[in-house]
Amino acid sequence: MAVLNRMDWYDLARTTNWSPTYVTEDELFPPLMSGAFGLPQDAWEKYDEPYKQTYPEYVKVQRDKDAGAYSVKAALERSRIFENADPGWKSVMKAHYGAIARGEYAAASAEARMMRFSKAPGMRNMSTLGCLDEIRHGQMQLYFPHEHVAKDRQMDWAFKAYDTNEWGMIAARHFFDDIMMTRDAISVSIMLTFSFETGFTNMQFLGLAADAAEAGDHTFANLISSIQTDESRHAQIGGPALKVLIENGQKAEAQKRVDIAVWGAWKLFSVLTGPIMDYYTPLEHRKQSFKEFMEEWIVAQFERALTDMGLDLPWYWDIFLKDIAETHHGMHMGSYFWRPTVWWNPAAGVSPDERAWLEEKYPGWNDTWGQCWDVIIDNVVDGNMAMAYPETLPYVCNMCQLPILGTPGKQWNVKDYPLEYNGRLYHFGSEVDRWCFQQEPERYAGHMSIVDRFLAGMIQPMDLGGALAYMNLAPGECGDDAHNYAWAEVYRAMRTAKKAG
Amino acid sequence: MALFPITSNFEGDFVLQLVAVDTENTMDEVAAAAAHHSVGRRVRARPGQILRVRRQGAAEFFPRTMKLGEAGLKPTETVEIIWEAPKH
């Protein structure tokens, strides 16, 4: 029997809107969930997805992808890559799995909201496949690390992290809850798929795949490349929704959602991906600096995507362009110095060769972050370890939930951006974080940061032990230096040579 | 006497930190409490210099002997801890 070509029937088959008669349109698509921006069904029927795929095509392609990724894993299971990997690379895997795997399941629920509540039939079709994608990503990124759980307790955080009050996970949940778990279908399409996935997952999944392949971890490289092929499809859900909104006079609201989501995504990547690329990945395996990746994958691509869509660059673009050379150095120093509070072992990444690389990629690094590292290195070389750990909490931002930081040393520019709202003093890490909060204060005002919780007496006893218990970090899971300070030997030798000379 | 949290923005350091002080503390004592979490950990000591305290963005320092409780700061408000070379 002859089969019609897909394009001969696709548009008709996915025209699944009808005129409800037993219920009102608002009952069928409750505005709170569908987020139709006051537009009727027929406006949304103009939604035209750029990537059209049918369910049989989807199943066939996904089956092939799974077969590829799982067979690489099976083939390399006995290769002892994990056992022989640089400890910095193991930390990359641990940070990635903990921060991402369960978030993928959460994303399946967000995709399901678009699938059920969007008034655009094309969006409902694409997000049906997107939902299946996210379930697949959650399953793979729990299954792949599971073989390492018996070898290393921190690997258990692939599953555990999302349920904890560990500070990085509070930050991750705050962001993902904001852009995908508590938004209507259309806002999810703008904030999750267009803003977050278009640019930032490219960064995590393509940039990191390149580093993984360089590091010889082909299982991980194949896994995340496989995931990225799904991302690049379902990331296109938001674009046509933006087009509909702009054509119907809703550009300002659309732009606001893009601006909020892009900033939040940037802050999360500055703590997760920045340290991984510029400090944890062994020097010889680094393809590009984090800043170079950002410029290629986020700045160039995103500027084009926004302009093509008829949107403006976010108002804070100049601040963002400056921050991509700075913020992640502070995020790295923070997660290193407060290393018992993370579920991986941060690699310091500050040997003389690595510092030379950092200075080359970020001119002025030695006079800024390098000045703080000089003190840390001296303490490690002297065995003065008590001073190489903190005795209090960093103050965290009430929007991104990450430490409020800036550039230290000779270009010291650290600053708080406070705001008093309903009698409570809030603190923000940047003008942009404060602006995000001000767009809808009641949405965020009730949330308590880890510092707010500490001050409210929710963390007992009020010391490091109490904080670690609150963050669910059991002994054997707390982070410490990835290389057990072996990198300090060269500084010790330099000091001995200097004395002898 | 009452425990009072401030946010320390210490000159040369990279991050704001929560510091517990007391309303009876003088500004020199507030500076010393903040220094405990920065100097020798990520900021080098500057022999011969003293530390002064000011409200974030203010041009003037609080007097060194002023008690924290008299400064009109709100709990968790950010203060800058700034190195000052001796005046000759």
Side-chain angles (χ1 to χ4, degrees):
Chain A
M1 192 175 79
V3 178
L4 284 173
N5 288 325
R6 181 225 297 142
M7 292 317 295
D8 293 334
W9 58 269
Y10 179 90
D11 285 345
L12 177 64
R14 68 106 161 95
T15 303
T16 49
N17 271 6
W18 68 93
S19 302
T21 52
Y22 294 105
V23 293
T24 65
E25 189 175 321
D26 275 0
E27 285 173 312
L28 181 58
F29 293 112
L32 193 66
M33 299 297 276
S34 75
F37 292 76
L39 305 180
Q41 281 193 92
D42 59 354
W44 287 106
E45 283 161 17
K46 295 190 175 64
Y47 175 102
D48 187 25
E49 64 277 30
Y51 197 110
K52 295 177 167 63
Q53 194 172 37
T54 65
Y55 186 70
E57 288 169 337
Y58 176 82
V59 171
K60 181 179 184 309
V61 172
Q62 298 304 98
R63 187 192 174 283
D64 290 346
K65 285 186 201 173
D66 265 3
Y70 282 84
S71 63
V72 170
K73 172 179 159 56
L76 295 178
E77 250 168 31
R78 292 174 198 281
S79 66
R80 300 183 63 80
I81 285 172
F82 183 83
E83 287 77 0
N84 297 327
D86 182 275
W89 184 252
K90 286 182 195 171
S91 298
V92 171
M93 293 172 62
K94 291 170 187 173
H96 172 90
Y97 283 128
I100 305 289
R102 295 276 303 280
E104 303 273 17
Y105 268 120
S109 150
E111 294 274 347
R113 194 166 319 117
M114 293 188 281
M115 187 203 304
R116 163 62 184 86
F117 291 106
S118 174
K119 288 185 177 180
M123 183 186 288
R124 296 201 295 268
N125 197 43
M126 280 196 85
S127 53
T128 302
L129 309 182
C131 180
L132 293 169
D133 290 340
E134 303 293 14
I135 292 170
R136 169 177 179 257
H137 302 170
Q139 289 176 339
M140 291 176 93
Q141 288 174 102
L142 290 177
Y143 180 70
F144 276 55
H146 187 260
E147 69 166 290
H148 305 307
V149 172
K151 306 169 200 162
D152 189 327
R153 229 180 131 166
Q154 290 176 328
M155 291 302 292
D156 194 31
W157 275 64
F159 185 81
K160 178 178 172 179
Y162 229 74
D163 295 321
T164 71
N165 282 317
E166 194 278 339
W167 63 268
M169 288 315 302
I170 292 176
R173 276 202 307 271
H174 189 273
F175 172 66
F176 288 119
D177 283 358
D178 186 21
I179 67 159
M180 71 183 195
M181 302 308 287
T182 59
R183 297 273 182 178
D184 59 75
I186 300 302
S187 298
V188 169
S189 78
I190 297 169
M191 301 179 92
L192 173 64
T193 77
F194 179 79
S195 306
F196 176 68
E197 290 175 339
T198 301
F200 288 89
T201 59
N202 265 332
M203 181 78 192
Q204 183 76 2
F205 289 94
L206 284 181
L208 207 51
D211 282 350
E214 279 288 313
D217 191 345
H218 298 289
T219 302
F220 191 69
N222 270 282
L223 165 70
I224 56 181
S225 298
S226 176
I227 289 170
Q228 181 55 25
T229 58
D230 294 350
E231 296 289 326
S232 60
R233 169 173 32 76
H234 68 236
Q236 297 178 48
I237 293 174
L242 283 167
K243 199 160 169 251
V244 171
L245 289 174
I246 292 166
E247 283 170 3
N248 286 278
Q250 298 286 340
K251 179 180 168 182
E253 281 300 310
Q255 180 85 46
K256 188 162 86 178
R257 280 161 179 73
V258 170
D259 292 359
I260 291 171
V262 167
W263 186 258
W266 151 241
K267 292 301 284 279
L268 199 57
F269 274 70
S270 76
V271 70
L272 177 66
T273 320
I276 280 175
M277 289 192 164
D278 282 355
Y279 293 90
Y280 298 4
T281 299
L283 185 59
E284 62 274 21
H285 299 319
R286 289 179 203 163
K287 294 283 280 184
Q288 285 176 296
S289 71
F290 177 64
K291 177 172 178 277
E292 288 163 346
F293 263 120
M294 285 294 293
E295 284 172 343
E296 180 174 344
W297 293 104
I298 311 290
V299 179
Q301 288 200 10
F302 216 73
E303 282 182 356
R304 196 168 58 240
L306 287 166
T307 318
D308 288 352
M309 204 57 66
L311 287 169
D312 302 323
L313 292 179
W315 64 268
Y316 52 72
W317 207 241
D318 289 343
I319 299 174
F320 170 69
L321 293 178
K322 186 168 173 288
D323 275 13
I324 62 175
E326 298 178 6
T327 305
H328 70 291
H329 297 299
M331 293 295 178
H332 172 58
M333 185 172 286
S335 50
Y336 184 84
F337 206 81
W338 273 265
R339 54 200 175 283
T341 68
V342 295
W343 68 85
W344 65 89
N345 298 324
V350 290
S351 68
D353 287 348
E354 288 166 317
R355 289 180 68 144
W357 183 87
L358 286 161
E359 182 65 34
E360 181 201 326
K361 298 291 183 185
Y362 303 94
W365 187 94
N366 276 312
D367 277 342
T368 51
W369 290 278
Q371 292 214 327
C372 291
W373 278 108
D374 287 341
V375 181
I376 297 171
I377 290 166
D378 280 353
N379 285 330
V380 171
V381 170
D382 291 338
N384 190 10
M385 294 309 291
M387 293 298 278
Y389 287 99
E391 287 184 49
T392 187
L393 299 175
Y395 218 98
V396 303
C397 171
N398 281 114
M399 187 66 208
C400 69
Q401 309 298 322
L402 297 170
I404 299 174
L405 43 80
T407 301
K410 290 181 182 170
Q411 291 173 39
W412 181 63
N413 67 1
V414 185
K415 192 178 166 190
D416 182 22
Y417 293 81
L419 176 74
E420 211 167 327
Y421 178 76
N422 280 350
R424 179 176 158 192
L425 182 59
Y426 294 84
H427 300 271
F428 298 97
S430 69
E431 191 183 344
V432 190
D433 286 289
R434 184 167 60 186
W435 174 84
C436 292
F437 181 93
Q438 287 175 305
Q439 298 317 296
E440 212 177 330
E442 278 309 303
R443 181 176 179 80
Y444 308 109
H447 186 270
M448 293 173 83
S449 72
I450 188 95
V451 175
D452 295 328
R453 297 175 202 194
F454 181 79
L455 291 171
M458 293 164 67
I459 299 174
Q460 296 291 342
M462 293 176 86
D463 55 22
L464 179 65
L468 295 177
Y470 183 77
M471 291 190 267
N472 308 85
L473 278 155
E477 296 176 348
C478 298
D480 204 348
D481 185 281
H483 299 90
N484 199 24
Y485 309 98
W487 53 269
E489 286 307 318
V490 64
Y491 287 104
R492 203 166 278 128
M494 284 161 67
R495 189 184 286 187
T496 308
K498 199 173 171 186
K499 272 186 191 160
Chain B
M1 275 185 63
L3 269 176
F4 196 88
I6 58 157
T7 304
S8 161
N9 187 8
F10 199 97
E11 184 181 0
D13 207 349
F14 82 108
V15 68
L16 301 188
Q17 296 182 100
L18 178 68
V19 176
V21 280
D22 193 286
T23 50
E24 289 295 305
N25 285 147
T26 64
M27 287 300 165
D28 273 1
E29 289 168 337
V30 169
H36 177 78
H37 298 291
S38 291
V39 177
R41 293 180 204 270
R42 295 173 304 271
V43 180
R44 280 209 197 287
R46 297 190 191 179
Q49 295 195 19
I50 59 166
L51 288 163
R52 301 296 305 272
V53 183
R54 70 185 179 203
R55 191 177 249 126
Q56 177 173 284
E60 297 293 315
F61 294 118
F62 292 118
R64 294 177 61 184
T65 54
M66 178 190 252
K67 289 188 174 169
L68 180 68
E70 298 161 0
L73 291 165
K74 301 179 193 76
T76 78
E77 192 168 340
T78 300
V79 291
E80 293 172 340
I81 316 294
I82 305 292
W83 295 101
E84 188 178 63
K87 293 186 178 71
H88 296 290

